[in-house]
Amino acid sequence: MNPHEDGPKRDVTAVLVKVLVHRREERGMRLEPHASRCVRAGEVHELVATDHTGTEAGTRIDRVGFLGFAEITSAGVVDRGDEVWIGSRRVGVVLGFDGCHLPNHYNVLVHADPVPTGRDLGLAPEEPLVFRQGGREAVGRSREERTPKNSVFAHKCPN
């Protein structure tokens, strides 16, 4: 999210279609240079948790916990810093995107510490999922710990 350009947006909703239960220490995913991605209703994307915090394009992401696959039910824009809610659980915040499986699906990288798997969270197919507008400052912080909305952020999106 760029607070100098981005206004309010609607939630992007989804439903879990498959739960994943494994983790990797040397996954080798790479962050895409984009801080946001448009998603369409009906698309399926993978959710991957990580404790990495770097957001530069090309950042290598190794420590991951696989959460599952979700089908988008309402189209919208998913931004870095958006909160990820599955059921009533705040799982973490969007760190970025890895495109190694394109054009099939994105890996939506979710910052969470410690790094959970779908099993760790007790996830189940058909659970509702919401990407809720957050902010860049939200990575690794709870709603209560965030910087006030009027703060000026130093983040610049790559061209």
Side-chain angles (χ1 to χ4, degrees):
M1 176 182 176
N2 180 339
H4 301 291
E5 297 176 2
D6 295 338
K9 68 175 185 175
R10 74 176 185 179
D11 291 347
V12 173
T13 60
V15 63
L16 284 177
V17 296
K18 180 177 181 173
V19 176
L20 297 174
V21 299
H22 61 296
R23 59 176 32 95
R24 300 264 313 263
E25 293 294 318
E26 299 276 336
R27 178 56 182 85
M29 292 180 180
R30 298 278 182 188
L31 279 180
E32 294 281 309
H34 316 289
S36 64
R37 298 282 77 195
C38 294
V39 293
R40 298 177 182 152
E43 289 181 346
V44 175
H45 296 291
E46 189 171 358
L47 300 168
V48 181
T50 183
D51 59 357
H52 289 273
T53 58
T55 59
E56 293 295 317
T59 296
R60 184 178 166 110
I61 306 295
D62 281 320
R63 291 178 309 279
V64 297
F66 294 87
L67 301 173
F69 287 89
E71 178 184 1
I72 304 300
T73 54
S74 82
V77 179
V78 178
D79 291 303
R80 176 178 298 130
D82 282 357
E83 295 180 346
V84 179
W85 290 81
I86 301 176
S88 62
R89 296 168 292 246
R90 182 182 179 275
V91 175
V93 296
V94 174
L95 177 69
F97 308 90
D98 167 76
C100 70
H101 298 298
L102 287 174
N104 190 46
H105 67 274
Y106 271 109
N107 291 319
V108 180
L109 297 165
V110 179
H111 179 266
D113 193 3
V115 178
T117 66
R119 178 184 300 154
D120 296 338
L121 296 175
L123 300 181
E126 301 300 328
E127 280 196 80
L129 183 144
V130 178
F131 295 97
R132 185 164 294 141
Q133 187 170 19
R136 179 179 174 276
E137 76 283 6
V139 173
R141 298 184 186 174
S142 69
R143 183 181 294 266
E144 294 76 27
E145 295 173 319
R146 280 196 213 144
T147 306
K149 288 183 179 179
N150 292 333
S151 294
V152 176
F153 305 108
H155 175 69
K156 300 283 186 204
C157 293
N159 292 330

